[in-house]
Amino acid sequence: MPRVRVTRRLHFNAAHRLYRADWSDERNREVFGDCSNPNWHGHNYEMDVTVEGAVDPATGYVLDLKLLKEAVQEAVIRDVDHRNLNLEVPWLEGLNPTTENFVVAIWNRLEPRIPEGVELNRIVLWETPRNYVEYSGEQGSREAAG
Ligand code: NI
């Protein structure tokens, strides 16, 4: 049976500050630039969530994309949209919310909630129209699990 990857794009916006509490404001500014502004700033995030699975011969679908949308909304979007990532999201607590750290946290949060019959393949997270990161889980974890 052919296996196909399908992707849902989602949007949210959130505020953050990149910094390490054990560094001076000056050092934080040097390393993290404008993203270290002590009074926060926002980003319009775009996120592409890709799952992979067999095409159901009955429906011609890998899954109902509405189920994927709902899973992402419940696991991630509901918690982060219009929030401060440093202060208001329990599963990001203690994390410097770089896009890299954020995408790994999103994966760990979402992966157990992916609808049955498909597996999470990739998350692409855009922080700006020019910068994105992508993550596909720990190397070999899916093989080990599968
Ligand atoms: Ni930023």
Side-chain angles (χ1 to χ4, degrees), residues 4-145:
V4 174
R5 288 185 288 275
V6 298
T7 299
R8 171 82 194 196
R9 175 165 292 176
L10 300 106
H11 173 81
F12 59 93
N13 52 62
H16 76 170
R17 179 193 179 195
L18 302 185
Y19 76 108
R20 291 182 53 131
D22 58 336
W23 287 358
S24 67
D25 278 355
E26 191 182 45
R27 175 86 173 121
N28 276 306
R29 173 69 69 178
E30 211 175 280
V31 173
F32 299 116
D34 287 344
C35 271
S36 196
N37 174 30
N39 289 321
W40 324 105
H41 64 278
H43 290 286
N44 290 310
Y45 290 92
E46 297 283 349
M47 181 165 67
D48 292 337
V49 176
T50 301
V51 296
E52 183 182 314
V55 178
D56 181 338
T59 61
Y61 287 154
V62 168
L63 86 164
D64 181 346
L65 272 178
K66 187 165 169 274
L67 294 179
L68 180 59
K69 183 186 104 177
E70 283 168 2
V72 181
Q73 276 182 331
E74 277 167 35
V76 178
I77 306 284
R78 197 174 57 181
D79 289 350
V80 300
D81 192 27
H82 287 74
R83 300 295 173 88
N84 182 314
L85 301 179
N86 298 80
L87 301 180
E88 294 183 284
V89 184
W91 46 274
L92 295 177
E93 212 177 302
L95 204 70
N96 189 21
T98 62
T99 323
E100 290 88 334
N101 284 337
F102 195 17
V103 77
V104 172
I106 289 171
W107 177 284
N108 293 336
R109 175 95 184 142
L110 181 60
E111 209 270 334
R113 294 167 176 83
I114 287 296
E116 226 165 288
V118 295
E119 56 192 37
L120 188 56
N121 176 266
R122 186 171 76 138
I123 299 174
V124 177
L125 182 63
W126 295 78
E127 190 183 68
T128 76
R130 292 176 205 278
N131 298 332
Y132 72 88
V133 299
E134 55 180 283
Y135 187 59
S136 291
E138 292 285 334
Q139 286 264 309
S141 70
R142 272 170 297 147
E143 285 84 338

